Amino acid sequence: MEMKKEKPGYVLNSLLVPLLKAAGELLADDIADPAAVDDVWRIGTGAAYGPFEMLDIIGLMTAHHIASHGDAKQREFARLIKERYLDKGQTGVESGQGFYTYPPT
């Protein structure tokens, strides 16, 4: 596939980052829990993974670091990740626990 020119973050991250940001804001604003957001995304798009499953795969340390440098809503999401997950050693797929629980590998 040919790209017409380079772009920071390339095509995938240009699409993925706003999705993950919106998902984080839905959780931080207490609009929907991760399972509901992921279900809606998978049903609506036919995607294999929802945004919170993707965040678990990426790793919650990375998600926290990125969100902590964002706007006020993203910083609130970063605080939530830290308090609910990272402070308990839950880093996502890597630790076997994040927004979801994963079997040991």
Side-chain angles (χ1 to χ4, degrees), residues 34-56:
V37 172
D38 286 353
D39 286 347
V40 168
W41 183 256
R42 285 191 310 272
I43 291 166
T45 65
Y49 299 104
F52 288 101
E53 290 169 306
M54 289 186 248
L55 285 166
D56 274 350

mmCIF file of all heavy atoms in Angstrom, residues 34-56:
data_model
loop_
_atom_site.group_PDB
_atom_site.id
_atom_site.type_symbol
_atom_site.label_atom_id
_atom_site.label_comp_id
_atom_site.label_asym_id
_atom_site.label_seq_id
_atom_site.Cartn_x
_atom_site.Cartn_y
_atom_site.Cartn_z
ATOM 1 N N PRO A 34 -15.828 -0.307 30.618
ATOM 2 C CA PRO A 34 -15.037 -0.849 29.507
ATOM 3 C C PRO A 34 -15.741 -1.930 28.699
ATOM 4 O O PRO A 34 -15.676 -1.931 27.470
ATOM 5 C CB PRO A 34 -13.783 -1.400 30.203
ATOM 6 C CG PRO A 34 -13.622 -0.518 31.391
ATOM 7 C CD PRO A 34 -15.031 -0.273 31.862
ATOM 8 N N ALA A 35 -16.439 -2.851 29.364
ATOM 9 C CA ALA A 35 -17.109 -3.936 28.632
ATOM 10 C C ALA A 35 -18.187 -3.392 27.698
ATOM 11 O O ALA A 35 -18.325 -3.858 26.562
ATOM 12 C CB ALA A 35 -17.698 -4.949 29.610
ATOM 13 N N ALA A 36 -18.944 -2.401 28.151
ATOM 14 C CA ALA A 36 -20.002 -1.829 27.314
ATOM 15 C C ALA A 36 -19.402 -1.106 26.105
ATOM 16 O O ALA A 36 -19.893 -1.253 24.975
ATOM 17 C CB ALA A 36 -20.869 -0.868 28.133
ATOM 18 N N VAL A 37 -18.354 -0.334 26.337
ATOM 19 C CA VAL A 37 -17.701 0.382 25.238
ATOM 20 C C VAL A 37 -17.158 -0.615 24.218
ATOM 21 O O VAL A 37 -17.365 -0.472 23.009
ATOM 22 C CB VAL A 37 -16.568 1.296 25.767
ATOM 23 C CG1 VAL A 37 -15.763 1.895 24.622
ATOM 24 C CG2 VAL A 37 -17.143 2.401 26.653
ATOM 25 N N ASP A 38 -16.468 -1.649 24.711
ATOM 26 C CA ASP A 38 -15.901 -2.639 23.810
ATOM 27 C C ASP A 38 -16.981 -3.393 23.040
ATOM 28 O O ASP A 38 -16.844 -3.643 21.843
ATOM 29 C CB ASP A 38 -15.015 -3.620 24.573
ATOM 30 C CG ASP A 38 -13.680 -3.008 24.978
ATOM 31 O OD1 ASP A 38 -13.381 -1.865 24.557
ATOM 32 O OD2 ASP A 38 -12.935 -3.678 25.712
ATOM 33 N N ASP A 39 -18.069 -3.763 23.726
ATOM 34 C CA ASP A 39 -19.173 -4.456 23.043
ATOM 35 C C ASP A 39 -19.753 -3.603 21.914
ATOM 36 O O ASP A 39 -19.963 -4.097 20.803
ATOM 37 C CB ASP A 39 -20.290 -4.813 24.024
ATOM 38 C CG ASP A 39 -19.938 -5.979 24.937
ATOM 39 O OD1 ASP A 39 -18.943 -6.685 24.671
ATOM 40 O OD2 ASP A 39 -20.670 -6.180 25.930
ATOM 41 N N VAL A 40 -20.005 -2.339 22.199
ATOM 42 C CA VAL A 40 -20.561 -1.445 21.182
ATOM 43 C C VAL A 40 -19.610 -1.326 19.996
ATOM 44 O O VAL A 40 -20.023 -1.382 18.837
ATOM 45 C CB VAL A 40 -20.876 -0.056 21.783
ATOM 46 C CG1 VAL A 40 -21.167 0.964 20.705
ATOM 47 C CG2 VAL A 40 -22.046 -0.147 22.745
ATOM 48 N N TRP A 41 -18.311 -1.171 20.286
ATOM 49 C CA TRP A 41 -17.330 -1.026 19.211
ATOM 50 C C TRP A 41 -17.267 -2.286 18.350
ATOM 51 O O TRP A 41 -17.282 -2.213 17.124
ATOM 52 C CB TRP A 41 -15.953 -0.698 19.783
ATOM 53 C CG TRP A 41 -14.950 -0.469 18.702
ATOM 54 C CD1 TRP A 41 -13.975 -1.333 18.300
ATOM 55 C CD2 TRP A 41 -14.864 0.662 17.846
ATOM 56 N NE1 TRP A 41 -13.265 -0.796 17.255
ATOM 57 C CE2 TRP A 41 -13.796 0.433 16.954
ATOM 58 C CE3 TRP A 41 -15.571 1.852 17.740
ATOM 59 C CZ2 TRP A 41 -13.424 1.348 15.979
ATOM 60 C CZ3 TRP A 41 -15.199 2.765 16.778
ATOM 61 C CH2 TRP A 41 -14.143 2.509 15.904
ATOM 62 N N ARG A 42 -17.203 -3.449 18.992
ATOM 63 C CA ARG A 42 -17.110 -4.703 18.229
ATOM 64 C C ARG A 42 -18.380 -4.949 17.409
ATOM 65 O O ARG A 42 -18.299 -5.345 16.244
ATOM 66 C CB ARG A 42 -16.832 -5.884 19.167
ATOM 67 C CG ARG A 42 -15.397 -5.933 19.651
ATOM 68 C CD ARG A 42 -15.071 -7.253 20.347
ATOM 69 N NE ARG A 42 -16.049 -7.602 21.370
ATOM 70 C CZ ARG A 42 -15.990 -7.211 22.644
ATOM 71 N NH1 ARG A 42 -14.982 -6.477 23.055
ATOM 72 N NH2 ARG A 42 -16.922 -7.560 23.499
ATOM 73 N N ILE A 43 -19.544 -4.705 17.994
ATOM 74 C CA ILE A 43 -20.808 -4.913 17.274
ATOM 75 C C ILE A 43 -20.935 -3.913 16.125
ATOM 76 O O ILE A 43 -21.298 -4.272 15.009
ATOM 77 C CB ILE A 43 -22.013 -4.802 18.235
ATOM 78 C CG1 ILE A 43 -22.025 -5.995 19.193
ATOM 79 C CG2 ILE A 43 -23.326 -4.711 17.459
ATOM 80 C CD1 ILE A 43 -22.961 -5.828 20.378
ATOM 81 N N GLY A 44 -20.610 -2.660 16.409
ATOM 82 C CA GLY A 44 -20.780 -1.608 15.404
ATOM 83 C C GLY A 44 -19.801 -1.669 14.251
ATOM 84 O O GLY A 44 -20.111 -1.245 13.139
ATOM 85 N N THR A 45 -18.605 -2.190 14.512
ATOM 86 C CA THR A 45 -17.575 -2.173 13.468
ATOM 87 C C THR A 45 -17.176 -3.549 12.968
ATOM 88 O O THR A 45 -16.529 -3.660 11.931
ATOM 89 C CB THR A 45 -16.289 -1.491 13.982
ATOM 90 O OG1 THR A 45 -15.731 -2.293 15.032
ATOM 91 C CG2 THR A 45 -16.560 -0.069 14.459
ATOM 92 N N GLY A 46 -17.514 -4.583 13.725
ATOM 93 C CA GLY A 46 -17.060 -5.923 13.365
ATOM 94 C C GLY A 46 -15.603 -6.163 13.729
ATOM 95 O O GLY A 46 -15.011 -7.164 13.333
ATOM 96 N N ALA A 47 -15.011 -5.245 14.482
ATOM 97 C CA ALA A 47 -13.609 -5.366 14.879
ATOM 98 C C ALA A 47 -13.429 -6.522 15.863
ATOM 99 O O ALA A 47 -14.351 -6.878 16.602
ATOM 100 C CB ALA A 47 -13.130 -4.068 15.525
ATOM 101 N N ALA A 48 -12.246 -7.086 15.882
ATOM 102 C CA ALA A 48 -11.943 -8.192 16.782
ATOM 103 C C ALA A 48 -11.784 -7.732 18.229
ATOM 104 O O ALA A 48 -12.063 -8.487 19.159
ATOM 105 C CB ALA A 48 -10.673 -8.906 16.323
ATOM 106 N N TYR A 49 -11.304 -6.505 18.426
ATOM 107 C CA TYR A 49 -11.040 -5.988 19.763
ATOM 108 C C TYR A 49 -11.703 -4.633 19.957
ATOM 109 O O TYR A 49 -11.763 -3.816 19.042
ATOM 110 C CB TYR A 49 -9.534 -5.795 19.993
ATOM 111 C CG TYR A 49 -8.740 -7.067 19.895
ATOM 112 C CD1 TYR A 49 -7.967 -7.332 18.770
ATOM 113 C CD2 TYR A 49 -8.745 -7.985 20.926
ATOM 114 C CE1 TYR A 49 -7.229 -8.494 18.673
ATOM 115 C CE2 TYR A 49 -8.008 -9.160 20.840
ATOM 116 C CZ TYR A 49 -7.255 -9.412 19.717
ATOM 117 O OH TYR A 49 -6.530 -10.556 19.626
ATOM 118 N N GLY A 50 -12.131 -4.391 21.192
ATOM 119 C CA GLY A 50 -12.622 -3.076 21.558
ATOM 120 C C GLY A 50 -11.474 -2.209 22.038
ATOM 121 O O GLY A 50 -10.356 -2.690 22.267
ATOM 122 N N PRO A 51 -11.719 -0.919 22.246
ATOM 123 C CA PRO A 51 -10.646 -0.011 22.640
ATOM 124 C C PRO A 51 -9.992 -0.353 23.984
ATOM 125 O O PRO A 51 -8.781 -0.202 24.138
ATOM 126 C CB PRO A 51 -11.302 1.366 22.671
ATOM 127 C CG PRO A 51 -12.755 1.142 22.557
ATOM 128 C CD PRO A 51 -12.966 -0.205 21.983
ATOM 129 N N PHE A 52 -10.754 -0.846 24.956
ATOM 130 C CA PHE A 52 -10.141 -1.184 26.241
ATOM 131 C C PHE A 52 -9.337 -2.473 26.147
ATOM 132 O O PHE A 52 -8.313 -2.615 26.829
ATOM 133 C CB PHE A 52 -11.190 -1.239 27.353
ATOM 134 C CG PHE A 52 -11.684 0.138 27.710
ATOM 135 C CD1 PHE A 52 -12.897 0.601 27.223
ATOM 136 C CD2 PHE A 52 -10.913 0.986 28.496
ATOM 137 C CE1 PHE A 52 -13.336 1.884 27.525
ATOM 138 C CE2 PHE A 52 -11.347 2.267 28.800
ATOM 139 C CZ PHE A 52 -12.561 2.720 28.319
ATOM 140 N N GLU A 53 -9.752 -3.397 25.300
ATOM 141 C CA GLU A 53 -8.930 -4.581 25.045
ATOM 142 C C GLU A 53 -7.615 -4.152 24.387
ATOM 143 O O GLU A 53 -6.550 -4.668 24.721
ATOM 144 C CB GLU A 53 -9.675 -5.565 24.147
ATOM 145 C CG GLU A 53 -10.854 -6.229 24.849
ATOM 146 C CD GLU A 53 -11.746 -6.992 23.900
ATOM 147 O OE1 GLU A 53 -12.201 -6.397 22.900
ATOM 148 O OE2 GLU A 53 -11.993 -8.179 24.168
ATOM 149 N N MET A 54 -7.703 -3.196 23.465
ATOM 150 C CA MET A 54 -6.489 -2.689 22.820
ATOM 151 C C MET A 54 -5.575 -2.009 23.836
ATOM 152 O O MET A 54 -4.354 -2.178 23.793
ATOM 153 C CB MET A 54 -6.836 -1.725 21.689
ATOM 154 C CG MET A 54 -7.432 -2.390 20.482
ATOM 155 S SD MET A 54 -7.662 -1.219 19.138
ATOM 156 C CE MET A 54 -9.442 -1.132 19.067
ATOM 157 N N LEU A 55 -6.157 -1.245 24.757
ATOM 158 C CA LEU A 55 -5.343 -0.593 25.785
ATOM 159 C C LEU A 55 -4.642 -1.630 26.658
ATOM 160 O O LEU A 55 -3.476 -1.445 27.027
ATOM 161 C CB LEU A 55 -6.206 0.344 26.635
ATOM 162 C CG LEU A 55 -6.599 1.645 25.955
ATOM 163 C CD1 LEU A 55 -7.717 2.332 26.722
ATOM 164 C CD2 LEU A 55 -5.399 2.573 25.800
ATOM 165 N N ASP A 56 -5.326 -2.714 26.989
ATOM 166 C CA ASP A 56 -4.689 -3.785 27.753
ATOM 167 C C ASP A 56 -3.528 -4.398 26.981
ATOM 168 O O ASP A 56 -2.498 -4.748 27.557
ATOM 169 C CB ASP A 56 -5.697 -4.884 28.103
ATOM 170 C CG ASP A 56 -6.481 -4.609 29.376
ATOM 171 O OD1 ASP A 56 -6.137 -3.664 30.117
ATOM 172 O OD2 ASP A 56 -7.440 -5.365 29.632
#
